[in-house]
Amino acid sequence: MSGSVNLREIVLETLLLITKDGEYSHIALKNVLDKYLYLEKQERAFITRVVEGTLERMIEIDYIINQFSKVKVNKMKPVIRLILRSAVYQMKYMDSIPDRAVCNESVKLAEKKGFASLKGFVNGVLRNIGRNIDSISYPGEEEGAEYFSVRYSLPEWLVRQWSDAYGEDAVREMGAAFLEERDTCIRCNLSAAGKEEIKRSLESEGVSVAEDREIPYALHIKGYDYLSKLGSFRKGYFYVQDISSMEVAEWAKPQIGDVVIDVCAAPGGKAIHMAEKLEGSGRVIARDLTEHKVGIMRENIARSGLPNIEAQQWDASVYDETVEGAADIVLADLPCSGLGVLGRKTDLKYRMTPAMQNDLVKLQRDILGTVRAYVKPGGKLVYSTCTVNKKENEENARWFLKEYPEFTLLKEQQRFPGRNGGDGFYIALFQKRGTCGNG
């Protein structure tokens, strides 16, 4: 361990940021790892795995703790609850760490955080779990939603929603896919370097590289510490982007000279992809709501070196008459419940509710009803979300066609994690009737 840094204390503080203070897991973890860049690679990997694993398996972990604790998880003090959760994750899923060491370090951490009176409680619960970790009783498949909820750490309401819409086999496939270890999917910036040069550059930095079977300019990488440490990343040779997201530009098929407006663009991956496909021609306007998000886009655009893209701050739900009928292509990758990316943003499943989904459906419709006016006659509108939910996806597409008959649906697709590869992702491609100069 580097110096006097307590890795488990860092894990605890990160989990508190997420579960108590409401910080999103991917943002909290990135900020913590940026703060501790001086740690060894394996120490940073330990922090990442325990934080992500604890969140990923939290429903199962709580189910285990509740079998061995007289005080149920939801009645515990937040610090004690998280110490136990992260300890149980290590005991069940990290065989390289002895249970005794996990227990001892957890007791020390409880005392350090001001809970010396609960040392005996922490010690007793964890030692009891450790003795019985291989013989814990789980719900059987006949118990339906509870089985899937505990087995895959999915909220029961979500299990029921997916079961009703897609069937239990789909729930099983998606649940298993979210728990699998994932490589990082990247899109090569072919305007900066050829794919083979990018591969060689990554491999020379000790990164493991594999080609994607579906998209020729997509690669899957692993074995690196953090992206900004890679010279190939700093040179703008690639962007982190899932293959499902790359399909947006493939479906849109921009033509040389096209004007593209991406109305909810941050962090800018799809917009930059479109600018690359335009080969320096035309114009891509990448918009988002906040100054912070626009700042991130500007950083990514600068790294790309592309001259035909700009970032603007704009609320997508507010009509902009200056771009009415100006776009050959409008990209509308809208705010959604994010249930297709639970493998990467593990805390989203605990934040989302059916009521929040319904609010998002209304917001999506408000934005679609606004930005459709930016499409030229003959132009295209690409609607996409990173979720698996018919109300936000197929039902919104049917609503759009009914409300705006000047558009036709050319094609649509719902990708399922575990079935199609990549994230859960929905795309609908619409075309506006009429003729378009470049379309």
Side-chain angles (χ1 to χ4, degrees), residues 234-282:
R234 296 194 300 271
K235 292 176 184 176
Y237 278 8
F238 65 87
Y239 304 92
V240 175
Q241 188 175 7
D242 192 76
I243 54 172
S244 55
S245 175
M246 295 182 207
E247 286 191 320
V248 169
E250 292 295 326
W251 281 37
K253 295 188 185 305
Q255 305 297 307
I256 298 300
D258 274 355
V259 173
V260 179
I261 302 176
D262 188 342
V263 299
C264 295
K270 299 178 188 67
I272 292 172
H273 194 186
M274 295 289 283
E276 288 177 17
K277 283 187 168 290
L278 288 171
E279 299 177 10
S281 73

Side-chain angles (χ1 to χ4, degrees), residues 395-411:
E395 291 181 22
N396 261 356
R398 302 300 172 268
W399 168 86
F400 184 75
L401 291 170
K402 182 179 178 181
E403 290 292 316
Y404 304 103
E406 67 270 26
F407 285 87
T408 57
L409 178 65
L410 299 181
K411 58 179 178 176

Side-chain angles (χ1 to χ4, degrees), residues 136-152:
I136 292 169
S137 175
Y138 287 90
E141 286 200 52
E142 69 279 0
E143 295 180 64
E146 186 183 9
Y147 163 78
F148 286 104
S149 176
V150 174
R151 172 67 181 81
Y152 300 112

Side-chain angles (χ1 to χ4, degrees), residues 99-112:
D99 290 353
R100 181 179 297 178
V102 173
C103 184
N104 290 340
E105 291 300 320
S106 299
V107 170
K108 291 178 185 176
L109 186 56
E111 182 175 22
K112 184 175 182 180

